[in-house]
Amino acid sequence: MHKRCLRRVSKSVHCIAMPLDEDNSPSQLFEQFPGYKKFVPHITSVTSSFVLPFLYITDRYNPRITASLLDQIYHNSEDCPPTRFAHINATACFTARLLYDTVLNALAGWEVAWENGCRNWPGEDGKRYNDSIDSFLQGLRNLRDKSWEGKARGNGRTVDEEPMMVLLVERAERLKDNLPDLIVPLIRLAELVSGSQVKITTIFLSSARWEDIKPPLGASPDPYFIDIDPPSKQDTIDSLIFEFRSTSTTQAHASTQDKTYHPSLLPLYEQYVEHVYNVCSLYTNDIQELQYIAAARWPGFVKPVLQEQSEANVDGDPDFDGTCNKLTLPASDGRMRLLKFFTPSLTAALDVLYPRLTNATDWALANDTDTHASEEAQCQPNTEGSIIVDHLPRMSKFILLAAFLASTNPVKSDMRMFGRGADKQKRRRRKSASPKKAGAQTIVAKVSQRLLGPVVFPLDRLLAILGALLEENDVENRPHEPYFELPGEHTDMELGRVHVYAAITELTSMRALHRTTAVEKLEGPPMYKCGISFWVAGALAKDLQFVSESAAFPLQLLPVNSKSSANVESEATEDQQVDNHVQPFSSPTDFDDPNLDPSHDTEFDDESPYPEVRSAVANTDDPSIDVTTLRVWVLGLAWAIIMPGVNQFFFFRYPSVPITGIVAQLLSFPIGRVCAAYLPRKKVFGISLNPGPFTIKEHVLITIMASVGATSAYATDIIAVQRVFYNQKFNFSYQWFLVMSTQLMGFSTGGITRRFLVSPPSMIWPATLVSCALFNTLHSEQYAGIGQLGGLSRERFFVYVFTSAFLWYFFPGYLFMALSWFSWVTWIWPDDPVVSQLFGTSYVHGMGMSVITFDWAQIAYNGSPLATPWWATANVIIGFVIFYWIVTPILYFKNTWYSLYMPISSRTSFDNTQNTYNVTRILTSEGTFNATAYKEYSPIFIPTTFVMSYGLSFASITATIVHCYIHFRKQIWYQARRSLGEQADIHARLMSRYPQVPEWWYLSLFAFMFALGVISIEIWPTEMPVWAFVIALLIAFTYVIPCGMIQAITNQQVGLNVITELIIGYSLPGKPVAMMLFKTFGYITMTQALIFTSDFKLGHYMKIPPRKMFWCQIVATIVAGTAQLGVQSWMFSIIPDMCSSTQKDGFTCPSMEVFGTASIFWGVIGPERLFSSGQLYHRDVTVTLLAVLVFFIIGTVSPIMGWLAMKRYPNSFIRYMNPLIFSGTYRIPPASALNYVPWALVGFIFQYVIRRRNFAWWTKYNYVLSAALDAGLAVSVIFIFFVLQYPENGSIGEKLQHWWGNTVFNTTADGMGTPVRQLQGLETFGPSIGSW
């Protein structure tokens, strides 16, 4: 039996190409239908090897092509197994009788002709089998027994040779509308005729899911599912090229003189159809529609080539074999000029041919381009003068105009535009209202509805507007019949006629109207949306003697005497006047946006004005895509438990191995695909276990839920420091209240940040673009922003770079770690402390003037340089060079603040014996400050880079406020009054269709988290008053907009940790726990707000409904915080010597130690003993440059000076100056020059050189390259740790770990942190004992 099945499969595959002209092999079928190489063997095997009762094929993209393919598969040759095939269209079979007759005629091979009186198949007894389902089944039984063309069963035929019937129902979703009672019988045909041994397979082909048409109450069995994948770009192009070859072959056999499809033109046609795809694929991916548009424009496109060829070879004869008269194709630059020349006409063809306002032949004749005209004239937008609408019936034209008015005007304007009373005077045609006086006009910042896109409207409103238009404008133009006594009676009766509804249905099938509600929906009138453009509406208006006069009623009737001079463009409409006053949000009148591309127009209808956004984000949206499915919650919550728990476990270990969000992003993709492939498509308690293919929106939400709480919560450091440093062990309620209030307090600002930091297109958030590019790459999304560059696909490019990055990190991360800490100058002079301070890089003890590193982890330590705009990178590196390569060495070698006795850079603080500062010596047993012990021990000394980082942090705080006031104040005020739908950005307009998160949700979240925060500081002895809590929140809320704007534009964040420590240190000295709480509420509230906003911007780009995303973020944050607390409590309870420097397993808690040291520095000792007048870091008041607090003044004055200089030199580099000069280096320490100079060099190469010289490559690959490098690094780090370092306590490859390449950077003066001046014996440095 198995061999017989295999033989039948091979026969079926052999005969599937029978209808083709020359070659019957499957290869030609695959050439005609590219992208179906998996589908063809699949469908033939499941239908030929055994009788499959019911098969459901879902094709959301090209169901007509799939139906054509099935036709060719089952209309096979005579030597194949006898298969009787019937192909019906559920749209055409709108009655049961018609369906029965169509099926039986097709199965019987009966052709209905006029000669036989259009008679249906009579059967053996001459009966009709269309009365009922029972008679239809009887007809099927008779077909089995009937001899079909000499192939009846006969006594000698085997069971295996029994004729098999296959019934294909195309557009099966229409059965639910027309014949819902026949769905179950058609599905169960095999069961209903099983007693008669009739073998039949029913195939439903639909663009809808099975769940949408499935009969209720389990009336139908589950089908065998086959989902057709969307055609790739290459498959679509191959299909278009096949049509060229077919036409070329046909013309060759016909010996025609037409050279339009000459074989020599095939390379040019390949480039042409690729360009057609790039232009039109944003609007339709239907291969037949693209072929229709390509065929309409190709004769005009190739006309100049043929003209040039005919001029060069007048006597040449057509030769389609290409042997003697081969055409010469234009060079590459000539082809590019042709493509550029004809691009506007492709858009015009799409605008007219896609809704079938005319046919391709007529359009091609009417748009026969004169190639000798100037290219500049041809590139002008197509107007209504070139659009042919004469073929449409007059009533259809009025319906389209009514639909256009309903889609582009608010409902409240209907009465004003079309309202009429019974008075005869009111029935006269209204004249346009006189314009207001200039002095009384108020210009409203508003985007016209034409730019925002059409809105939906009910059928009742369409009919009402149609009646008003006909009554107002059509009465005088129609011949008055004598039996119509009243002028409006003709119109009233016309509206009641069936042909009006038929015209609406026909326009809907032409896609000139779009029905937005389901056909089966009974409540409320059906909803429609206009599908014609402004130019098509203008052409219709011109044909009906309308003209555009006002935004309120833009299509009014022309006077009769002006009929011949109608010109839509001759009148300046109020709508255009309003558009002229609309300034893009990123226009120079608001603020000078460095990210805006000056070479492009700033007002884009369908694209973002920022090339970074265009290259990474699709400008389309499909609202029907599933978002919050069951697998989203299961996978998202699983990641929200696993990632925070694992990261919290490694957070206390050195070295730590963080699992970043990109790991979840990569792993969620195959997991989601597996769930979509193997989970049953069933519902449990009304929830679908498998709603269909794994969508990109599901992937985005899962990744956001995984990463929103993946890193260790800042408040867990407070809990650990209280336990280790101050011996305070509060219960789990305190810990949970503290973590939740600090994590979610920032989320409550979403109502504010969304308006200012998400909706405006100028807030690009460069880091999110990398994630967008990776999402679109994994899901093979195609959009115009990636450009038209050929070569490797982005998917293959990602795989290559990811693999290379994964393998390369084995060298700097394990085999040759000196490549990471490449301080090559210190290897030449290993014992020279001066060289080590300037050129060292190892463990941040030097200034890193060695410059080089080969480790992407070091380069991307401050974020990917491929995502940060070059002007922002330049600000950061300028600040670094000035303050760290010039000022810091001067201060260091002048021994300012006794700096020569310490390394120039270090993570730790020192005492006066050059040892790490022992904070336990200045604490009492209660954990408070001991002034006597402090004077007996030592003042605290910090390296020069530490002091510089504090000073720059002070400067950035004031510079941020002043800079935002100078440059962003108008934008903030303007944005505060602007809605989402009024943004001059395609992404904001697409998102305006989704319900936004109500403000009261944010207010409720804030109130609840505020209450938790007050409870946590009041019930437990934290020594922090409520007024300090309020001040901390005010600081966070004050800086969230300015800091968010800088981060959204530059990809660099301004930290508030130092300023909050300074304020609380002066306000509540000697209270370290209060200092930590104040710092956390002030700093982390803003940080969490920006994380929340960044994720919201990611959802904005990927078109995630805001309300669903809000709840996913909140729930995931709560689950993640709880998981982190559980892991931390478990670790402290079972791991011995936790957070001890001698902990055997490496759980020494390095980050917690830094956090605790800062609490001593700012909370116990306090800034008053460090930065006040007369103290160590403010000793000489006359030398103000040595006073750290003077940086507040520097930060205030610098933006003002830059603004004045920009006014004087507006086109100079000064316009790019930004507070990043102060705040961009906030990671130093622990970061070093190794993390900044190579970062800037890579940014210069990719964001400046390549972006300017090869913009096409940058557009297609830049963000994919960044994502691939990050992903390869993250996976490689985890692999190396868990496979090579963690097992057997790191003893694997022990000899390898101690060779020269892995130890050289530790044995130099740089690696050991040797200062320039070293103490001998019991010597000390600094102020005299007791003077501090």
Side-chain angles (χ1 to χ4, degrees):
M1 178 64 186
H2 180 65
K3 293 182 179 179
R4 184 167 61 248
C5 291
L6 291 178
R7 184 172 62 253
R8 295 194 62 183
V9 172
S10 62
K11 284 185 178 182
S12 177
V13 174
H14 171 72
C15 63
I16 57 179
M18 181 265 172
L20 301 178
D21 295 334
E22 298 178 359
D23 188 8
N24 289 334
S25 65
S27 60
Q28 186 165 348
L29 187 68
F30 296 148
E31 182 181 359
Q32 182 180 359
F33 298 97
Y36 288 88
K37 292 183 178 180
K38 295 182 180 179
F39 172 74
V40 171
H42 190 182
I43 187 67
T44 53
S45 63
V46 299
T47 57
S48 300
S49 301
F50 53 92
V51 178
L52 192 66
F54 179 34
L55 175 65
Y56 193 89
I57 303 176
T58 305
D59 189 349
R60 298 178 57 188
Y61 304 94
N62 294 285
R64 289 181 295 175
I65 294 180
T66 303
S68 177
L69 172 62
L70 291 172
D71 275 343
Q72 295 206 26
I73 290 177
Y74 289 108
H75 285 114
N76 42 40
S77 59
E78 296 182 357
D79 58 341
C80 291
T83 299
R84 305 309 174 193
F85 178 66
H87 175 195
I88 66 170
N89 192 310
T91 305
C93 300
F94 48 85
T95 66
R97 288 177 178 267
L98 184 58
L99 185 144
Y100 298 150
D101 287 333
T102 304
V103 173
L104 292 174
N105 289 339
L107 292 176
W110 179 272
E111 294 184 2
V112 178
W114 290 104
E115 291 77 7
N116 57 17
C118 297
R119 183 184 181 189
N120 292 304
W121 178 66
E124 294 181 351
D125 49 5
K127 293 183 179 180
R128 296 285 299 275
Y129 300 106
N130 61 1
D131 295 335
S132 63
I133 186 64
D134 293 330
S135 61
F136 173 65
L137 296 177
Q138 182 60 37
L140 293 178
R141 297 186 185 99
N142 289 342
L143 279 173
R144 171 186 173 275
D145 298 330
K146 178 178 171 56
S147 174
W148 291 341
E149 301 176 355
K151 294 182 182 178
R153 176 180 176 183
N155 296 328
R157 301 183 70 95
T158 63
V159 176
D160 198 44
E161 294 175 325
E162 284 286 338
M164 186 180 73
M165 303 180 189
V166 177
L167 171 61
L168 171 63
V169 182
E170 186 182 355
R171 299 201 67 181
E173 69 274 6
R174 297 301 296 270
L175 290 175
K176 188 174 183 180
D177 306 328
N178 302 333
L179 302 170
D181 295 337
L182 285 185
I183 295 180
V184 175
L186 290 177
I187 293 172
R188 295 185 177 271
L189 274 181
E191 300 178 24
L192 296 176
V193 297
S194 59
S196 302
Q197 297 182 353
V198 177
K199 298 190 294 184
I200 187 169
T201 296
T202 303
I203 303 176
F204 276 13
L205 174 61
S206 174
S207 59
R209 300 180 305 173
W210 167 243
E211 289 78 6
D212 297 333
I213 67 174
K214 180 180 179 180
L217 304 177
S220 64
D222 289 334
Y224 184 91
F225 292 102
I226 296 181
D227 290 333
I228 306 296
D229 295 330
S232 65
K233 176 180 179 180
Q234 191 59 46
D235 292 338
T236 304
I237 294 174
D238 291 342
S239 297
L240 302 181
I241 293 174
F242 177 83
E243 297 298 332
F244 179 92
R245 292 195 178 101
S246 300
T247 307
S248 178
T249 304
T250 302
Q251 290 186 356
H253 292 317
S255 299
T256 179
Q257 297 292 330
D258 187 8
K259 295 184 179 181
T260 305
Y261 289 91
H262 195 282
S264 300
L265 297 174
L266 181 58
L268 180 62
Y269 188 81
E270 292 176 355
Q271 192 168 0
Y272 164 75
V273 293
E274 183 177 3
H275 187 66
V276 171
Y277 179 89
N278 293 333
V279 173
C280 302
S281 61
L282 292 176
Y283 308 96
T284 177
N285 286 320
D286 192 324
I287 296 177
Q288 293 182 339
E289 295 292 342
L290 294 176
Q291 175 62 34
Y292 195 66
I293 295 170
R297 183 70 283 178
W298 171 248
F301 181 85
V302 79
K303 182 178 179 181
V305 179
L306 297 178
Q307 287 178 344
E308 183 178 358
Q309 182 72 19
S310 61
E311 293 173 0
N313 188 10
V314 179
D315 299 330
D317 296 326
D319 179 22
F320 282 88
D321 295 331
T323 57
C324 62
N325 198 20
K326 187 175 182 180
L327 299 179
T328 302
L329 300 182
S332 59
D333 57 341
R335 298 185 189 184
M336 295 304 296
R337 284 197 299 271
L338 274 176
L339 293 175
K340 181 180 179 181
F341 185 82
F342 283 95
T343 297
S345 63
L346 287 177
T347 307
L350 177 70
D351 206 9
V352 178
L353 297 179
Y354 185 59
R356 294 298 190 272
L357 297 179
T358 185
N359 59 75
T361 303
D362 293 342
W363 185 90
L365 293 176
N367 291 269
D368 189 5
T369 308
D370 183 7
T371 57
H372 298 289
S374 65
E375 293 188 10
E376 181 179 355
Q378 291 300 325
C379 292
Q380 296 296 325
N382 187 33
T383 62
E384 68 277 9
S386 62
I387 301 176
I388 302 174
V389 292
D390 294 338
H391 73 286
L392 287 177
R394 186 174 180 84
M395 180 61 69
S396 297
K397 296 178 183 179
F398 274 105
I399 293 174
L400 286 179
L401 286 179
F404 180 79
L405 291 173
S407 278
T408 54
N409 290 279
V411 178
K412 61 183 180 182
S413 66
D414 289 352
M415 185 60 66
R416 174 165 49 87
M417 291 195 300
F418 308 111
R420 299 290 185 271
D423 189 2
K424 184 177 181 179
Q425 297 295 329
K426 292 184 179 180
R427 296 179 64 88
R428 293 181 180 177
R429 190 175 304 108
R430 293 187 176 184
K431 296 182 180 180
S432 60
S434 59
K436 297 181 180 179
K437 296 181 179 180
Q441 272 188 321
T442 302
I443 297 175
V444 180
K446 180 181 179 182
V447 177
S448 66
Q449 187 61 48
R450 181 162 61 87
L451 294 182
L452 298 178
V455 296
V456 296
F457 54 84
L459 178 61
D460 298 344
R461 186 183 175 210
L462 174 64
L463 295 178
I465 296 177
L466 175 63
L469 291 179
L470 291 173
E471 183 178 350
E472 185 95 356
N473 305 308
D474 201 40
V475 172
E476 300 174 1
N477 295 329
R478 283 181 177 270
H480 186 71
E481 299 293 339
Y483 49 84
F484 292 127
E485 298 180 358
L486 299 176
E489 187 176 359
H490 179 272
T491 296
D492 296 337
M493 296 191 67
E494 283 290 311
L495 284 177
R497 294 182 181 272
V498 177
H499 81 268
V500 174
Y501 297 94
I504 295 176
T505 304
E506 181 182 4
L507 292 173
T508 304
S509 65
M510 293 168 55
R511 303 185 184 91
L513 291 178
H514 299 287
R515 179 161 182 165
T516 60
T517 55
V519 180
E520 67 272 9
K521 183 179 180 181
L522 299 179
E523 64 276 8
M527 304 295 290
Y528 289 87
K529 183 169 64 174
C530 183
I532 65 173
S533 68
F534 175 79
W535 303 111
V536 175
L540 292 171
K542 182 177 180 179
D543 185 71
L544 294 174
Q545 306 170 36
F546 279 74
V547 71
S548 179
E549 291 187 355
S550 67
F553 192 12
L555 300 172
Q556 290 195 359
L557 183 63
L558 274 177
V560 177
N561 55 8
S562 63
K563 177 179 179 181
S564 60
S565 60
N567 187 357
V568 174
E569 291 186 348
S570 64
E571 300 291 337
T573 66
E574 181 182 335
D575 184 60
Q576 292 169 339
Q577 295 172 4
V578 172
D579 290 344
N580 292 335
H581 291 296
V582 175
Q583 295 291 342
F585 195 58
S586 303
S587 110
T589 58
D590 292 327
F591 76 103
D592 193 11
D593 190 351
N595 288 325
L596 195 62
D597 191 351
S599 63
H600 291 76
D601 189 5
T602 57
E603 188 171 354
F604 285 75
D605 287 352
D606 297 321
E607 278 290 359
S608 171
Y610 299 91
E612 294 87 354
V613 178
R614 295 198 298 269
S615 66
V617 184
N619 63 337
T620 56
D621 179 34
D622 184 0
S624 64
I625 292 180
D626 296 317
V627 183
T628 49
T629 60
L630 179 63
R631 59 183 170 227
V632 167
W633 285 107
V634 172
L635 294 178
L637 291 179
W639 282 118
I641 296 173
I642 295 172
M643 283 188 60
V646 174
N647 283 335
Q648 189 70 13
F649 180 81
F650 285 107
F651 176 75
F652 294 103
R653 188 183 185 277
Y654 184 83
S656 177
V657 184
I659 300 178
T660 59
I662 200 169
V663 176
Q665 186 177 5
L666 291 174
L667 294 181
S668 298
F669 181 68
I671 295 175
R673 287 292 182 93
V674 169
C675 293
Y678 295 103
L679 285 180
R681 294 192 177 185
K682 295 183 178 180
K683 290 186 177 181
V684 178
F685 302 110
I687 301 174
S688 177
L689 298 179
N690 186 0
F694 184 60
T695 67
I696 189 172
K697 293 189 178 183
E698 291 179 286
H699 195 185
V700 172
L701 269 187
I702 293 172
T703 304
I704 290 176
M705 294 178 70
S707 59
V708 70
T711 58
S712 178
Y714 206 70
T716 59
D717 275 332
I718 300 178
I719 300 168
V721 169
Q722 285 181 282
R723 177 190 291 265
V724 176
F725 279 74
Y726 305 110
N727 198 27
Q728 295 178 348
K729 300 179 182 179
F730 299 151
N731 59 26
F732 189 81
S733 298
Y734 163 79
Q735 300 176 19
W736 196 84
F737 287 175
L738 181 62
V739 170
M740 291 301 114
S741 59
T742 54
Q743 292 290 96
L744 294 176
M745 187 72 72
F747 285 8
S748 62
T749 63
I752 302 174
T753 59
R754 178 192 63 194
R755 182 179 295 272
F756 298 100
L757 302 179
V758 176
S759 302
S762 56
M763 303 292 109
I764 62 176
W765 291 90
T768 64
L769 299 179
V770 178
S771 298
C772 293
L774 180 55
F775 281 122
N776 289 322
T777 300
L778 292 175
H779 291 267
S780 302
E781 294 290 326
Q782 298 291 332
Y783 48 94
I786 64 176
Q788 303 174 8
L789 181 70
L792 287 175
S793 65
R794 302 211 314 176
E795 296 82 2
R796 184 169 295 182
F797 180 81
F798 175 83
V799 172
Y800 290 163
V801 177
F802 172 84
T803 306
S804 302
F806 173 83
L807 297 176
W808 170 251
Y809 186 72
F810 278 82
F811 292 94
Y814 186 73
L815 300 175
F816 191 4
M817 288 188 287
L819 293 175
S820 179
W821 307 95
F822 203 74
S823 52
W824 59 276
V825 179
T826 64
W827 304 346
I828 301 175
W829 296 280
D831 299 323
D832 192 330
V834 176
V835 172
S836 70
Q837 307 307 317
L838 295 177
F839 296 94
T841 58
S842 301
Y843 300 107
V844 299
H845 290 146
M847 281 291 94
M849 294 183 182
S850 300
V851 173
I852 303 174
T853 183
F854 299 93
D855 186 359
W856 180 253
Q858 298 281 13
I859 297 173
Y861 183 82
N862 299 300
S864 174
L866 305 182
T868 304
W870 163 242
W871 67 268
T873 304
N875 272 273
V876 175
I877 199 62
I878 288 173
F880 174 82
V881 171
I882 292 175
F883 293 107
Y884 285 98
W885 271 7
I886 298 176
V887 177
T888 296
I890 292 174
L891 294 176
Y892 180 79
F893 287 106
K894 289 181 68 67
N895 199 28
T896 308
W897 306 306
Y898 307 100
S899 56
L900 289 175
Y901 294 94
M902 298 170 286
I904 194 172
S905 180
S906 177
R907 295 187 180 96
T908 61
S909 55
F910 297 89
D911 60 17
N912 54 12
T913 63
Q914 294 185 332
N915 293 314
T916 302
Y917 199 87
N918 187 357
V919 295
T920 59
R921 292 183 59 176
I922 61 172
L923 294 177
T924 64
S925 58
E926 291 80 16
T928 59
F929 179 67
N930 188 334
T932 303
Y934 176 68
K935 291 183 178 181
E936 293 176 353
Y937 175 39
S938 169
I940 189 169
F941 296 93
I942 54 179
T944 310
T945 55
F946 234 129
V947 180
M948 184 58 65
S949 68
Y950 284 149
L952 293 178
S953 180
F954 298 154
S956 66
I957 293 301
T958 54
T960 299
I961 293 294
V962 176
H963 178 84
C964 289
Y965 176 78
I966 292 175
H967 296 279
F968 298 148
R969 67 184 188 279
K970 293 182 180 179
Q971 183 189 18
I972 294 174
W973 175 249
Y974 179 61
Q975 193 62 31
R977 300 174 294 166
R978 201 174 196 188
S979 67
L980 185 65
E982 293 174 329
Q983 299 292 341
D985 176 55
I986 180 62
H987 305 292
R989 298 200 303 273
L990 291 174
M991 285 298 293
S992 63
R993 73 180 65 183
Y994 298 109
Q996 299 301 308
V997 179
E999 301 291 341
W1000 68 268
W1001 287 16
Y1002 295 110
L1003 293 176
S1004 301
L1005 180 64
F1006 172 78
F1008 186 59
M1009 292 302 110
F1010 184 85
L1012 289 184
V1014 172
I1015 292 173
S1016 62
I1017 65 175
E1018 285 294 315
I1019 293 182
W1020 288 272
T1022 61
E1023 298 182 337
M1024 180 180 178
V1026 176
W1027 62 262
F1029 177 45
V1030 174
I1031 292 176
L1033 295 181
L1034 289 177
I1035 293 174
F1037 294 157
T1038 300
Y1039 277 93
V1040 66
I1041 298 300
C1043 294
M1045 283 185 166
I1046 291 177
Q1047 183 175 349
I1049 295 173
T1050 67
N1051 200 34
Q1052 299 294 316
Q1053 187 179 111
V1054 179
L1056 298 181
N1057 52 335
V1058 177
I1059 188 62
T1060 53
E1061 291 170 338
L1062 183 70
I1063 293 175
I1064 194 62
Y1066 275 111
S1067 303
L1068 297 173
K1071 296 181 178 180
V1073 177
M1075 189 282 300
M1076 292 187 295
L1077 291 171
F1078 186 91
K1079 171 185 175 181
T1080 302
F1081 281 115
Y1083 170 47
I1084 290 303
T1085 298
M1086 185 203 73
T1087 303
Q1088 287 295 108
L1090 297 184
I1091 292 175
F1092 177 84
T1093 306
S1094 177
D1095 288 341
F1096 242 81
K1097 189 66 176 184
L1098 176 61
H1100 183 84
Y1101 282 146
M1102 304 306 297
K1103 315 304 179 296
I1104 307 297
R1107 294 190 178 186
K1108 297 179 179 180
M1109 184 171 178
F1110 174 85
W1111 286 114
C1112 287
Q1113 286 181 289
I1114 298 300
V1115 173
T1117 302
I1118 295 174
V1119 171
T1122 306
Q1124 289 175 348
L1125 287 176
V1127 171
Q1128 179 170 317
S1129 299
W1130 170 77
M1131 293 178 68
F1132 274 101
S1133 62
I1134 69 166
I1135 297 179
D1137 299 326
M1138 184 71 175
C1139 295
S1140 171
S1141 59
T1142 59
Q1143 213 286 328
K1144 63 177 182 177
D1145 296 318
F1147 292 100
T1148 57
C1149 311
S1151 298
M1152 184 275 302
E1153 184 178 0
V1154 173
F1155 197 90
T1157 302
S1159 71
I1160 301 298
F1161 187 89
W1162 295 99
V1164 178
I1165 300 176
E1168 186 176 357
R1169 295 183 176 88
L1170 299 172
F1171 300 111
S1172 297
S1173 178
Q1175 298 301 322
L1176 177 61
Y1177 295 99
H1178 196 160
R1179 279 193 171 274
D1180 192 351
V1181 182
T1182 60
V1183 187
T1184 55
L1185 288 178
L1186 301 183
V1188 178
L1189 297 182
V1190 81
F1191 276 92
F1192 282 111
I1193 302 175
I1194 297 176
T1196 303
V1197 175
S1198 296
I1200 300 175
M1201 295 177 61
W1203 178 71
L1204 294 174
M1206 187 180 66
K1207 289 293 184 182
R1208 178 66 179 84
Y1209 306 102
N1211 295 323
S1212 65
F1213 70 93
I1214 300 176
R1215 65 187 289 262
Y1216 295 101
M1217 303 301 284
N1218 192 278
L1220 284 181
I1221 291 181
F1222 301 125
S1223 63
T1225 55
Y1226 76 99
R1227 294 178 183 269
I1228 298 177
S1232 67
L1234 195 66
N1235 308 120
Y1236 281 93
V1237 179
W1239 173 79
L1241 289 176
V1242 174
F1244 173 76
I1245 293 172
F1246 284 93
Q1247 292 285 58
Y1248 184 80
V1249 177
I1250 295 179
R1251 190 177 187 272
R1252 284 176 174 247
R1253 297 189 179 183
N1254 196 343
F1255 184 76
W1257 189 96
W1258 182 91
T1259 298
K1260 184 174 183 179
Y1261 294 124
N1262 180 71
Y1263 290 104
V1264 179
L1265 174 63
S1266 178
L1269 291 173
D1270 292 341
L1273 172 66
V1275 176
S1276 185
V1277 168
I1278 295 174
F1279 181 86
I1280 290 174
F1281 178 80
F1282 285 104
V1283 176
L1284 302 176
Q1285 293 178 343
Y1286 186 76
E1288 301 182 14
N1289 294 323
S1291 61
I1292 299 177
E1294 188 172 357
K1295 293 183 179 180
L1296 182 64
Q1297 299 174 20
H1298 294 88
W1299 81 286
W1300 177 87
N1302 285 336
T1303 59
V1304 60
F1305 52 89
N1306 291 327
T1307 58
T1308 62
D1310 171 38
M1312 294 184 290
T1314 305
V1316 174
R1317 295 183 182 177
Q1318 302 181 41
L1319 300 179
Q1320 303 295 329
L1322 299 177
E1323 290 181 345
T1324 61
F1325 71 94
S1328 58
I1329 298 177
S1331 63
W1332 55 83

